[in-house]
Amino acid sequence: MQTPEIYISQKPQLLARTRVIKALSHPTRLFIVEELEKGERCVCELTAMIGADVSTVSKHLSILRQAGILEDDKRGNQVFYRLKVPCILNFFGCVESVLHSQRQHDTLR
Amino acid sequence: MQTPEIYISQKPQLLARTRVIKALSHPTRLFIVEELEKGERCVCELTAMIGADVSTVSKHLSILRQAGILEDDKRGNQVFYRLKVPCILNFFGCVESVLHSQRQHDTLR
DNA sequence: CATTGATTTGGCTATATTGCCAAACATGCA
DNA sequence: TGCATGTTTGGCAATATAGCCAAATCAATG
């Protein structure tokens, strides 16, 4: 070891993992993942539920797909998305436990 | 239901969860969490491993602490951080499975 | 109390992300 | 082919995030 491994946050493994987690780090995308737990949905259904512009929803879906979390299936002129890696959902239980352990630790802004 | 629930991504629960996930969505912070799996570390140790400015590392630690993922413990003039919610680590296994299921799905940039 | 070592905070610039609109692409069907 | 429906892409403005330096804190100790 010379310097601290050049710059640790450039390590490919960390970057790859970060890409997946980053894909989940947006309220709309989190909503999409939770909704798809119930089954596949087309872009139009998700858009109606979310209430943002279709193009915005489409871009969120694209981010989740590129991260490998969703897969899409085009049927007719609609595109259906579904969860490719359902274990993602197990994580939310843990996230909840983080939230519950937050009694009042410092500034919760 | 009127409009799509005002704007779904503003729902408090989604925002709270997002805050936790967002805290994990940076290579340096991911590294910190993985490192703390082995035991508590002071800021100076983490800084040496990471190789960024101390102030940068301190801010990353602060983000993880505010998200409820880490807790700190000041002893003498050093501050030691440790994992408050170790279940976070289970998630990484799932993240790996996402990565491994990525054969060649579209542009992996 | 001055100094040193450890950490946090303020401030600023550079970069990344988000969301909308408009336009481009399909697909199905008259 | 022409049109309607559904989806993606390009582009841009607004906002958020990251990282460094400098300065402020805080504890230990001479």
Side-chain angles (χ1 to χ4, degrees):
Chain A
M1 268 201 271
Q2 16 162 346
T3 352
E5 283 196 49
I6 310 307
Y7 193 1
I8 216 153
S9 47
Q10 295 308 307
K11 276 176 66 177
Q13 198 198 35
L14 284 174
L15 290 174
R17 291 181 175 190
T18 301
R19 198 156 44 86
V20 176
I21 297 175
K22 204 186 275 264
L24 294 169
S25 65
H26 187 286
T28 297
R29 297 198 288 270
L30 221 47
F31 171 80
I32 290 171
V33 170
E34 291 183 0
E35 179 60 26
L36 294 185
E37 182 180 11
K38 304 175 196 161
E40 62 174 21
R41 298 280 185 273
C42 68
V43 179
C44 51
E45 289 173 305
L46 291 169
T47 300
M49 288 184 273
I50 292 167
D53 192 272
V54 198
S55 69
T56 300
V57 174
S58 175
K59 280 178 183 173
H60 283 306
L61 288 166
S62 170
I63 289 169
L64 288 165
R65 180 172 42 75
Q66 288 199 7
I69 297 169
L70 304 186
E71 58 191 355
D72 61 340
D73 183 16
K74 186 163 202 166
R75 294 202 297 275
N77 59 352
Q78 308 190 16
V79 178
F80 291 84
Y81 280 88
R82 55 175 170 269
L83 268 187
K84 194 174 170 190
V85 192
C87 62
I88 290 289
L89 295 160
N90 302 334
F91 181 46
F92 296 150
C94 176
V95 171
E96 285 305 304
S97 76
V98 173
L99 293 173
H100 293 147
S101 75
Q102 292 177 342
R103 294 144 307 225
Q104 210 69 322
H105 70 68
D106 58 19
T107 43
L108 273 180
R109 41 152 180 206
Chain B
M1 265 202 272
Q2 16 161 351
T3 352
E5 282 195 50
I6 310 307
Y7 192 3
I8 215 155
S9 48
Q10 295 309 308
K11 277 177 64 178
Q13 197 198 35
L14 284 174
L15 290 174
R17 290 183 175 189
T18 301
R19 198 157 44 88
V20 176
I21 296 176
K22 204 185 273 265
L24 293 168
S25 64
H26 187 285
T28 297
R29 296 198 288 269
L30 222 45
F31 171 80
I32 290 172
V33 170
E34 291 183 0
E35 180 60 27
L36 294 186
E37 181 181 12
K38 304 174 196 160
E40 63 173 20
R41 298 281 184 272
C42 68
V43 179
C44 52
E45 289 172 307
L46 291 169
T47 299
M49 288 184 271
I50 291 168
D53 193 273
V54 200
S55 68
T56 299
V57 174
S58 176
K59 281 177 182 173
H60 282 307
L61 289 166
S62 170
I63 289 168
L64 288 166
R65 180 172 42 76
Q66 288 198 6
I69 297 168
L70 305 186
E71 57 191 356
D72 60 341
D73 183 16
K74 186 162 202 166
R75 296 203 294 276
N77 59 352
Q78 304 190 336
V79 179
F80 291 84
Y81 281 88
R82 54 176 172 266
L83 268 187
K84 193 174 170 190
V85 193
C87 62
I88 289 290
L89 295 159
N90 302 334
F91 181 47
F92 297 151
C94 177
V95 170
E96 284 305 303
S97 74
V98 174
L99 293 172
H100 293 147
S101 75
Q102 293 177 344
R103 296 144 305 225
Q104 208 70 317
H105 70 71
D106 58 21
T107 44
L108 273 180
R109 40 146 182 214

